[in-house]
Amino acid sequence: MPRELKCVAVVENTLGECPVWDVDQQCLYWVDITEKVLHRYDPVTAAVKTWKTPFEFGSIALRKGGRSIIAGTRDGFAIYDLETEACEHFATPEEPFPGNRMNDGKCDPAGRFWCGSIHEVSDPSQRRPIASMYRVDADRSVTKVRGGIKTSNGFAWSTDGRTMYFTDTPTLNILAFDYDVQSGTMSNERVFATVPKGHGRPDGATVDVEGCLWSAHFAGSRVTRYSPAGDVLLSLDIPAQNVTSCTFGGANMSTLFITTAREDLTAEDLRQQPLSGNVFAYEAGVAGVPMARYAG
């Protein structure tokens, strides 16, 4: 019997992204990058709380204690206090590139925040490889790890932390690297999987306890589950064209929460896909791996 996909938060996000499950509070956080909004969804009450952020948060990660988050901003990184709404902007490595902004990000198993930028132009085909990938250590030091990127997405780590995943979305390739958790370094780049043309573009991703990667397809109306060897195990259809990211949560960590976007959709697109921009939940039948909190 097929498992049920539900729309659980009607928020009509322009660019819903970076869902993060808070194990302590048992709630889901995510951002609407374009509208400069941070959301929190409580599955028990179905209530959605929103914060208006001072600038675009491309991605977020929880910090220890639960009171604040680290965020990738337009030109760098900030600490945002969820109680006082104070924002401490502590690094601006993308300032020399006004056409860029920080995009996807996630903490590695040791609590380092990895985040990459995007060359943001209205026509994706005109993006240039001037974006970069960064690592923010616990002392808030920022290291540029890689350049030559157009659209950073899909950060994820295997259950044992020894494999790191990443995609430069326009290439349609999901990359894998050997990862050293102790030093926070990656090596041995290879192509893990390639999204066929016409199936959308690989966006945000997460990993389950069986070592499988779940990857959202922007402009592809689906989430794909890949085996540790890169084979397609499941293609989950989503009633929204622009599927942006996914993460596991819920009481048993077996609910896959999926964010979507209304960006780039015409009035006719929205008529045919009225649930675009909302958050979905799918009982995956397998648990996910909680994302580590930022150690700083």
Side-chain angles (χ1 to χ4, degrees), residues 169-213:
T169 292
T171 68
L172 303 183
N173 290 328
I174 300 172
L175 302 177
F177 304 83
D178 292 342
Y179 192 72
D180 186 324
V181 175
Q182 185 173 357
S183 64
T185 56
M186 60 186 195
S187 60
N188 188 27
E189 175 184 328
R190 65 263 189 197
V191 175
F192 169 74
T194 300
V195 174
K197 289 185 178 180
H199 288 207
R201 304 185 292 276
D203 205 319
T206 192
V207 171
D208 64 37
V209 295
E210 296 179 356
C212 297
L213 184 80

Side-chain angles (χ1 to χ4, degrees), residues 5 7 25 29 37-38 51 69 84 89 91 95 101 107 114 156 161 181 187 189 191 197 214 233 236 240 265 288 292:
L5 178 77
C7 178
Q25 296 185 48
Y29 289 88
V37 170
L38 170 68
W51 290 261
I69 60 174
T84 67
H89 208 177
E95 194 171 32
R101 67 160 170 79
C107 283
W114 285 75
V181 175
S187 60
E189 175 184 328
V191 175
K197 289 185 178 180
W214 298 69
L233 300 179
L236 176 64
L265 299 183

Side-chain angles (χ1 to χ4, degrees), residues 7-221:
C7 178
V8 294
V10 179
V11 286
E12 297 186 344
N13 285 166
T14 302
L15 186 53
E17 267 285 8
C18 196
V20 178
W21 179 254
D22 187 328
V23 175
D24 296 338
Q25 296 185 48
Q26 289 289 291
C27 62
L28 181 77
Y29 289 88
W30 75 96
V31 296
D32 183 342
I33 301 174
T34 305
E35 303 303 329
K36 302 178 184 177
V37 170
L38 170 68
H39 296 279
R40 183 178 68 199
Y41 165 72
D42 183 339
V44 175
T45 64
V48 177
K49 175 180 173 62
T50 62
W51 290 261
K52 189 67 177 177
T53 59
F55 26 66
E56 298 105 315
F57 285 180
S59 55
I60 60 170
L62 304 173
R63 294 177 75 207
K64 293 180 179 179
R67 173 174 169 168
S68 61
I69 60 174
I70 183 172
T73 67
R74 171 157 286 278
D75 59 3
F77 301 99
I79 300 296
Y80 183 75
D81 192 304
L82 297 170
E83 295 181 8
T84 67
E85 301 185 25
C87 190
E88 180 188 355
H89 208 177
F90 66 85
T92 57
E94 288 287 290
E95 194 171 32
F97 305 97
N100 288 7
R101 67 160 170 79
M102 289 298 180
N103 200 46
D104 196 21
K106 191 170 289 186
C107 283
D108 73 5
R112 305 177 188 89
F113 185 56
W114 285 75
C115 185
S117 57
I118 175 177
H119 180 220
E120 189 178 46
V121 291
S122 57
D123 182 356
S125 68
Q126 299 302 308
R127 286 179 183 156
R128 293 186 289 134
I130 58 173
S132 299
M133 178 197 296
Y134 299 92
R135 187 190 70 230
V136 185
D137 290 340
D139 62 359
R140 299 192 189 179
S141 61
V142 178
T143 302
K144 179 179 173 179
V145 178
R146 182 190 181 99
I149 297 167
K150 293 182 179 179
T151 306
S152 300
N153 266 315
F155 289 96
W157 282 264
S158 61
T159 52
D160 61 7
R162 297 174 63 182
T163 302
M164 175 179 171
Y165 299 99
F166 171 79
T167 182
D168 184 357
T169 292
T171 68
L172 303 183
N173 290 328
I174 300 172
L175 302 177
F177 304 83
D178 292 342
Y179 192 72
D180 186 324
V181 175
Q182 185 173 357
S183 64
T185 56
M186 60 186 195
S187 60
N188 188 27
E189 175 184 328
R190 65 263 189 197
V191 175
F192 169 74
T194 300
V195 174
K197 289 185 178 180
H199 288 207
R201 304 185 292 276
D203 205 319
T206 192
V207 171
D208 64 37
V209 295
E210 296 179 356
C212 297
L213 184 80
W214 298 69
S215 174
H217 294 231
F218 194 90
S221 305

Side-chain angles (χ1 to χ4, degrees), residues 5-19 28-32 35 39 41 46 48 50 216-218 221-223 237-247 256-263 265 269-282:
L5 178 77
K6 295 181 179 179
C7 178
V8 294
V10 179
V11 286
E12 297 186 344
N13 285 166
T14 302
L15 186 53
E17 267 285 8
C18 196
L28 181 77
Y29 289 88
W30 75 96
V31 296
D32 183 342
E35 303 303 329
H39 296 279
Y41 165 72
V48 177
T50 62
H217 294 231
F218 194 90
S221 305
R222 74 191 70 195
V223 174
D237 293 330
I238 310 297
Q241 180 174 313
N242 295 333
V243 187
T244 56
S245 192
C246 54
T247 197
L256 186 72
F257 291 101
I258 302 157
T259 51
T260 64
R262 296 166 70 90
E263 181 182 74
L265 299 183
D269 290 333
L270 292 171
R271 188 187 69 79
Q272 295 184 16
Q273 308 165 40
L275 296 179
S276 293
N278 298 333
V279 177
F280 297 84
Y282 173 72

